[in-house]
């Protein structure tokens, strides 16, 4: 049986990177745009990885060979 720990571990890493992006974005007129872009990119990468990982663990179509 597969474990949920890889999904949670990668989520924690992604959340830490998003926090770092929010805290360490250089000040300037485009700070909010840069911060939003970085956080959106990280969230999108995490979601794509998680959906792919979960699809491999629990496929929708199972071929049964007899």
């Amino acid at each position: 049986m597969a474990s949920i720990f890889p999904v949670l571990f990668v989520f924690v890493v992604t959340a830490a990177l998003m926090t770092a992006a929010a805290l360490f974005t250089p000040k300037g007129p485009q700070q909010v745009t840069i911060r939003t872009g970085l956080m959106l990119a990280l969230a999108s990468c995490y979601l794509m990885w998680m959906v792919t990982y979960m699809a491999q663990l629990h496929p929708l179509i199972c071929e049964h060979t007899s």
Side-chain angles (χ1 to χ4, degrees):
M1 176 172 248
S3 175
I4 194 72
F5 291 121
V7 176
L8 293 176
F9 176 73
V10 174
F11 175 75
V12 168
V13 170
T14 304
L17 288 172
M18 290 174 81
T19 303
L23 295 175
F24 298 116
T25 304
K27 301 241 187 263
Q30 301 298 323
Q31 180 182 18
V32 175
T33 305
I34 294 169
R35 183 185 303 163
T36 304
L38 287 172
M39 294 175 78
L40 185 60
L42 287 167
S44 298
C45 287
Y46 170 74
L47 285 174
M48 187 63 188
W49 173 82
M50 186 194 65
V51 166
T52 304
Y53 182 78
M54 296 303 279
Q56 291 176 3
L57 286 180
H58 306 288
L60 292 175
I61 300 173
C62 294
E63 294 192 25
H64 296 281
T65 57
S66 300

